């Protein structure tokens, strides 16, 4: 039911949601007393008709507040709705987030979409099916349990009615109760099947699929001119001269926010270049020292210290040895394949923004504060962005386009960042320092474990009330400042995500040294702090195994009680052909690592095989085997794709990626200065799925990144005898380590 992207104005607006549909999110007063807690996203979006609509044309429209960003979520949600409603999968039309028509499910982030949105849809569709069956049975003159349903056709003997005929008799304008139980696993037909992804065909054949592809009638093209460095302030620019350039429609100079709009894209590029060349700036404060001095600097900064987990289980055996190690991670970028983009139109006092934001509702809130408009006058509509994920520039570019649209006389304006804009101004993943300390007893058991982590914030997305996390909102003459970023609490955590080990150590102490001040902006990069914390935790586990003279797999199993955790480690080791005590030839190595993402989502173990060129220092990951337990799997291919993608991206972060900067500005501004893994360097990835259809689904999307970095580190150590602790493992570092 995913129609090709219609770029004709009416078709685009309809597909992207500007034609507002009538449905309810407000709860009638008679229903608003003492609401019972509802599962998943139903809790905050309680009206049944907000989730689905039975259409006269024999289709079902399903609304989700989650967005597609290449993870296949709309396919998985359609599978869930098809099963619970008893309608053919092809009849289900998925409509994703737009503030005028969809449930408010906040951010699509943290590998929670199937858990939260999928759970809500299961209950909403099960209840809707019961209402439809009840209405049909009444018309047919039989009891509800006397009918059968197949593809929306309700049958009792030789009598039948369809959902489409009785939709008006089944009132969905009511609060969901969650009292109708969804189907058991044994009754599901679509869930558990590798249904082809709905979002792939237009991308594969080159049809318009992204907001970068949007063309609207009378649309003009915009560019933004950022300050040369964080904190720099505009002194002057040649606004008048740029305004006189060919094709220029508008020039916006508001505080330190500069933007241009022109009739054609190349005209906008030339105008932005001229504006940049004419601008004079006052420098801001100096940036922190670059690596390696950065890591000592982080530990000297004022921090908010908190013990996030502590366990005192007694002394255990006689402690025979103490081990310590420090691990580090630099600033890392999203490095999205396409620069961020948005389309905005200000017309008749209403603002419409087409955006690849992962949270259209939170973004609209910040946008309203920057624009000094009521939220009700803004419609934010999600359109997929090429390569967009995490908190990259998606939200910021939407604000840029909105500010510029006020000057384009009701013409829609498409504003596209340049590659330099993206690298220079997207929020980065925070640098981190992890100090580890553990003790072994005489039997080779870990009897105490300490993990201290220093980190800036990992989530400064739009959304906090009264604050603003949109970049341009800080640069305009009358700015709206950001509120102080707060670290998410355990068990999910953020900077301390996955710092608490699942291993059964009798004594544990996990301390977060939170650094709220950000001289370089940081925010949500996949897994937040989990990538670095698992790197440290699982690398240190290997170091402790070697100190104990134990095999790394056996050592992990010895300290684990969680059967599902043990199962993924055993499955990955078995599939990879793990041999205890296997020696390296000096260049080839194998390593294993494990984590349960956020300590509450999917379980993943990874075995990595690497080849180390000791002369050049280059590390190549030849193969990775990942075993994953995601509970009930909705779409096996989708889970496999998520794990594969996580492994590959983690390999890229681990071997190559680090943002460079000097005392004044970010210097990684092109792909040459921020290299990522190339297609030729992508490892073979094999995924083993441990499906548990009777368990609840667990978030999967970010589950493999932590185990992969540690598996690579441990494989390099196996190959060279040197445990690398400073990311990324560039040839220069490896060559120096093995010399």
């Amino acid at each position: 039911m995913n129609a090709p992207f219609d770029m004709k104005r009416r078709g685009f607006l309809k597909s992207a949601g500007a034609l507002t549909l009538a449905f309810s999110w407000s709860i009638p007063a008679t229903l608003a007393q003492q609401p019972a807690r509802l599962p998943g996203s139903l809790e905050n979006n309680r009206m049944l008709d907000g989730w689905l609509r039975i259409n006269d044309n024999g289709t079902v429209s399903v609304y989700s507040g989650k967005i597609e960003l290449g993870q296949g979520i709309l396919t998985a949600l359609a599978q869930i709705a098809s099963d619970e409603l008893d309608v053919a999968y092809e009849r289900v039309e998925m409509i994703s987030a737009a503030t005028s028509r969809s449930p408010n499910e906040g951010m699509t982030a943290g590998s929670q979409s199937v858990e939260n949105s999928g759970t809500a849809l299961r209950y909403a569709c099960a209840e809707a099916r019961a209402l439809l069956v009840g209405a049909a049975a009444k018309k047919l003159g039989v009891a509800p349990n006397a009918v059968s349903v197949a593809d929306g056709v309700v049958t009792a003997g030789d009598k039948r009615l369809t959902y489409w005929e009785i939709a008006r008799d089944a009132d969905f304008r009511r609060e969901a109760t969650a009292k109708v139980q969804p189907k058991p696993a044994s009754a599901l037909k679509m869930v558990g099947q590798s249904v082809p992804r709905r979002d792939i065909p237009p991308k594969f054949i080159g049809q318009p699929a992204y907001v970068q592809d949007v063309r609207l009638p009378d649309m003009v093209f915009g560019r933004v001119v950022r300050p040369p460095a964080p904190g720099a302030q505009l002194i002057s620019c040649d606004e008048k001269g740029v305004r006189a350039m060919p094709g220029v429609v508008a020039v916006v100079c508001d505080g330190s926010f500069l933007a241009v709009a022109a009739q054609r894209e190349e005209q906008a590029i030339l105008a932005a270049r001229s504006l940049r060349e004419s601008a004079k700036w006052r420098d801001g404060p100096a940036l922190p020292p670059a690596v390696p001095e950065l890591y000592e600097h982080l530990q000297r900064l004022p921090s908010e210290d908190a013990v996030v987990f502590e366990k005192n289980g007694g002394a255990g055996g006689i402690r025979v040895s103490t081990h310590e190690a420090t691990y580090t991670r630099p600033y890392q970028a999203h490095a999205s394949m396409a620069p961020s983009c948005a389309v905005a139109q200000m017309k008749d006092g209403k603002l419409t923004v087409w955006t690849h934001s992962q949270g259209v509702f939170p973004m609209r809130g910040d946008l309203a504060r920057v624009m000094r408009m009521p939220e009700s006058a803004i419609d934010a509509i999600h359109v997929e962005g090429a390569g967009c994920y995490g908190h990259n520039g998606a939200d910021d570019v939407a604000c840029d386009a909105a500010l510029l649209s006020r000057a384009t006389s009701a013409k829609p304006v498409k504003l596209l960042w340049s590659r330099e804009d993206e690298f220079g101004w997207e929020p980065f993943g925070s640098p981190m320092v992890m100090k580890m300390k553990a003790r072994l007893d005489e039997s080779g058991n870990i009897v105490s474990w300490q993990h201290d982590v220093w980190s800036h914030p990992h989530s400064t997305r739009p959304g906090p009330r009264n604050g603003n996390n949109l970049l341009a909102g800080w640069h305009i003459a009358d700015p709206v400042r950001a509120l102080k970023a707060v670290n998410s609490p355990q068990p999910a955590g953020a900077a301390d995500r996955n710092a608490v080990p699942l291993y059964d150590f009798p004594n544990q102490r996990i301390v977060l040294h939170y650094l709220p001040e950000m001289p370089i902006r940081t925010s949500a990069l996949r897994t937040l702090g989990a990538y670095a914390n698992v790197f440290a935790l699982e690398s240190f586990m290997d170091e402790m195994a070697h100190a104990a003279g134990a095999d790394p797999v056996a050592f992990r199993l010895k300290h684990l009680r969680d059967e599902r955790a043990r199962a993924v480690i055993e499955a990955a080791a078995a599939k990879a052909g793990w041999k205890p005590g296997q020696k390296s030839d000096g260049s080839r190595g194998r390593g294993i690592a494990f984590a349960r993402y956020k300590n509450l989502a999917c379980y993943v173990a990874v075995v990595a095989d690497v080849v180390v060129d000791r002369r050049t220092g280059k590390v190549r990951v030849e193969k990775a085997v990942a075993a994953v337990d995601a509970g009930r799997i909705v779409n096996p291919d989708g889970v496999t794709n998520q794990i594969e993608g996580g492994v590959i991206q983690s390999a890229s972060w681990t071997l190559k990626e680090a943002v460079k900067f000097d005392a004044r500005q970010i210097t990684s501004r092109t792909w040459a200065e921020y290299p990522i893994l190339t297609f030729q360097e992508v490892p073979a990835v094999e995924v083993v799925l441990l499906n548990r259809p009777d368990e609840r689904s667990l978030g999967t999307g970010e589950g493999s990144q932590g185990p992969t970095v540690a598996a690579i580190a441990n494989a390099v150590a196996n190959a060279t005898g040197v445990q690398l602790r400073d990311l990324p493992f560039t040839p220069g570092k490896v060559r120096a380590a093995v010399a």
Side-chain angles (χ1 to χ4, degrees), residues 70-143:
Q71 82 280 42
I73 185 59
L74 296 186
T75 302
L77 295 178
Q79 290 177 253
I80 291 170
S82 168
D83 267 340
E84 295 298 341
L85 285 169
D86 272 328
V87 298
Y89 169 79
E90 292 75 15
R91 293 187 186 275
V92 179
E93 175 194 28
M94 291 302 305
I95 299 173
S96 70
T99 54
S100 61
R101 60 178 177 172
S102 70
N104 180 357
E105 296 191 82
M107 292 287 174
T108 301
S111 305
Q112 300 180 86
S113 295
V114 168
E115 283 192 59
N116 292 336
S117 193
T119 297
L121 270 181
R122 287 185 70 209
Y123 280 91
C125 291
E127 190 161 345
R129 179 189 181 279
L131 291 171
L132 290 163
V133 166
K138 185 177 181 181
K139 278 203 166 186
L140 294 172
V142 299

Side-chain angles (χ1 to χ4, degrees), residues 506-563:
N507 299 283
Q508 301 179 30
R509 181 177 170 83
I510 315 302
V511 181
L512 171 63
H513 308 273
Y514 184 60
L515 310 171
E517 297 299 323
M518 298 171 285
I520 296 175
R521 187 166 65 139
T522 61
S523 191
L525 183 64
R526 295 186 81 187
T527 79
L528 309 188
Y531 167 76
N533 284 317
V534 176
F535 163 54
L537 194 163
E538 286 291 300
S539 295
F540 200 46
M541 276 298 286
D542 253 40
E543 296 200 51
M544 297 302 291
H546 292 310
D551 174 72
V553 170
F555 190 71
R556 284 174 170 80
L557 295 176
K558 179 180 179 181
H559 289 89
L560 271 174
R561 301 291 178 269
D562 187 324
E563 290 301 325

Side-chain angles (χ1 to χ4, degrees), residues 598-668:
K598 296 192 281 191
N599 286 353
L600 48 74
C602 67
Y603 298 80
V604 179
V606 174
V607 174
D609 290 314
V610 306
V611 178
V612 181
D613 186 325
R614 302 177 77 96
R615 182 181 62 82
T616 64
K618 187 173 181 180
V619 175
R620 180 161 56 89
V621 182
E622 284 196 322
K623 184 177 181 180
V625 173
V628 55
D629 172 358
R632 173 186 292 176
I633 293 175
V634 176
N635 188 317
D637 273 358
V639 172
T640 298
N641 296 159
Q642 296 266 31
I643 296 297
E644 289 172 337
V647 168
I648 293 167
Q649 184 172 42
S650 183
S652 183
W653 286 352
T654 302
L655 300 181
K656 296 199 169 190
E657 297 189 37
V659 174
K660 296 180 178 61
F661 53 93
D662 58 24
R664 182 170 176 265
Q665 62 186 343
I666 304 300
T667 56
S668 295

Side-chain angles (χ1 to χ4, degrees), residues 62-68 74 94-98 101-102 382:
V62 173
Y63 301 90
S64 174
K66 299 299 182 182
I67 58 102
E68 182 65 59
L74 296 186
M94 291 302 305
I95 299 173
S96 70
R101 60 178 177 172
S102 70
H382 179 264

